[in-house]
Each structure stands twice: as structure tokens, then as C-alpha cells.
Amino acid sequence: MTETRKFGENFYILDDGRVRQFLITGPEEALLIDTGFPDSGVYQAVKAITDKPVKVVLTHGDWDHTGGLGQFRECWLHPRDWHLVEGDVTLHPLQDGDVFTCGGYRLEVMEIPGHTYGSVAFFDRERKLLLPGDSVQKGGPIFMFGSHRNLDLYIESLRELRGLSGQVETILPCHHPCPIDFSYVEKNLEDAVALKKGALKGTKHPTLPCVSYRGRWTEFYYD
Ligand SMILES: [Zn+2]
């Protein structure tokens, strides 16, 4: 079941132990980043915090981020991930430079393709806060196997995020420890480059159709 904790002014973290979402509340509407698994109970958790209309934006189209969409009925998602969404949901596009404001937060969209082709990060410059979806994590595993992912693009995107050095103090990932500091952009990048070079040792995953590769800081599930 999803548990809620207040992280900052008008800012809540929802977490069911597998994946987390972020809720920002404003006087007229609320902004929800991601919707969890179908059984995460995100809709109920959001309704327990706010009775305002909720605008849903997604970091990417993976199942553990879109699973609760059915109850919200519409969302903003990068079009390159639209094919990943199931069910009767109205999709609106988002792209580099779009801005979503709510409750004193100003989230800029940064396209960071790789983990999925439509992955984005949300960046609040003033608060030095980065919501990278699954693309930056402490430890991982970061899922990089399957046809809707691309390691070259992922490396490029991490290099772009590295350009935010000095402008980000807090990273809120959707999996594993949270918050984490900016050094994990560099750590994930170092390990992704090693993976690309074939420098990491792999072990076949017991159940998933992938190989587990362990870098110095990060584990990747890769083909
Ligand atoms: Zn995920």
C-alpha cells in the first residue's frame, strides 16, 4: 500500500515500497508526477491529501509509472512513450522546455531519452530540485533491456544532465534511496559508459530476459 510523507512545502512523496510518485498541491489544482502500479493505490492516496483537480504528468511510459492512469483518465507524457500506455486514457504531449507550475514549484521539462525513448526529467531551477524518473538512481538496477530502451541515448542524456552541475542539490528518483545527491548523475554515467564498452561482468538474470551487469556504483539490467 502506498504511504505518504510530506517532503517540503506543498510537496508529498508517495511510496509503496516498489515505486514512488510526487504530489504538489496548489490552491486551485494539484500536480501529480507518475501514477505507480495498478495496485499501488495512488488515486486513493492523492484523494486523501487533496480534493482539487489533479493534473498528471509522467516521467516516462513504463508500467510502474502509468499503472494508475485509468482513474485519472488523462495525462501529459512525451509522445515517444505513448505506445506504452494501455487503456482509455487521454494523452497530451510534453516536450523540452515545457513548464508546469503548481504550489510555488516551477518544473521545466528536460528530454532525457534512453531508459525509454520518451523519458523526461522535471527540473525546478529555483529550488535546485531534479525529478529524473528512473534515469538517475542510487544502486539500481536500472532497466536498460528491451526494444523501447537505448543505451547510447541514455549516455547522451546523462551527459546533458551532468551540465546541471552546481544547479541541482536534490535528486528525487522513483526507485531505491531518495533523496540522493547530484554525484549519482556522474556515477550512473561512469557505469553506463563502462557497460557500453563491454567492461562490466554480466550474470544472466534468473527470471527476467536480461543480464545483470554490476558497475562500480550502479547495476544495469541489459540485453
Ligand atoms: Zn520505474
Side-chain angles (χ1 to χ4, degrees):
M1 196 55 210
T2 291
E3 291 188 4
T4 301
R5 72 179 162 112
K6 192 160 187 190
F7 180 72
E9 189 198 2
N10 300 332
F11 196 104
Y12 299 82
I13 296 178
L14 284 57
D15 192 338
D16 73 352
R18 300 170 294 174
V19 62
R20 63 179 70 84
Q21 306 79 42
F22 309 97
L23 179 72
I24 301 172
T25 55
E28 268 137 41
E29 70 169 7
L31 186 67
L32 175 68
I33 296 105
D34 289 355
T35 65
F37 285 103
D39 65 355
S40 295
V42 170
Y43 184 82
Q44 291 77 4
V46 167
K47 290 294 157 188
I49 299 168
T50 179
D51 58 3
K52 303 289 187 248
V54 179
K55 181 180 257 190
V56 177
V57 297
L58 298 180
T59 60
H60 63 294
D62 275 341
W63 180 236
D64 52 326
H65 302 256
T66 63
L69 270 182
Q71 286 161 298
F72 293 100
R73 311 186 77 94
E74 67 174 338
C75 72
W76 277 254
L77 171 66
H78 196 286
R80 280 194 295 261
D81 276 4
W82 282 8
H83 68 286
L84 298 171
V85 174
E86 291 172 7
D88 185 18
V89 178
T90 303
L91 297 167
H92 305 281
L94 51 68
Q95 62 177 1
D96 238 357
D98 283 355
V99 173
F100 294 90
T101 54
C102 186
Y105 292 76
R106 185 180 187 278
L107 302 184
E108 280 174 48
V109 174
M110 286 180 72
E111 294 180 12
I112 50 165
H115 172 66
T116 65
Y117 284 89
S119 285
V120 302
F122 297 101
F123 174 39
D124 190 317
R125 278 177 199 275
E126 191 145 319
R127 292 175 189 264
K128 299 191 167 195
L129 182 68
L130 185 72
L131 281 59
D134 289 0
S135 299
V136 182
Q137 295 180 33
K138 179 176 180 179
I142 298 179
F143 282 41
M144 287 305 300
F145 69 97
S147 61
H148 67 296
R149 312 191 193 275
N150 184 302
L151 182 59
D152 291 318
L153 288 176
Y154 178 71
I155 289 170
E156 249 176 66
S157 292
L158 286 181
R159 288 193 172 126
E160 197 187 328
L161 286 179
R162 187 169 58 178
L164 297 179
S165 175
Q167 300 174 66
V168 173
E169 274 168 9
T170 308
I171 296 181
L172 303 179
C174 294
H175 300 285
H176 309 296
C178 175
I180 59 175
D181 64 65
F182 191 74
S183 71
Y184 285 92
V185 172
E186 192 67 54
K187 288 167 176 164
N188 292 161
L189 176 59
E190 178 186 321
D191 291 334
V193 168
L195 175 63
K196 181 67 193 175
K197 279 188 189 151
L200 303 187
K201 223 177 100 206
T203 324
K204 200 180 164 346
H205 193 281
T207 53
L208 295 171
C210 65
V211 176
S212 157
Y213 292 92
R214 280 184 188 278
R216 189 171 164 207
W217 315 97
T218 320
E219 181 182 15
F220 291 101
Y221 287 174
Y222 187 53
D223 295 304

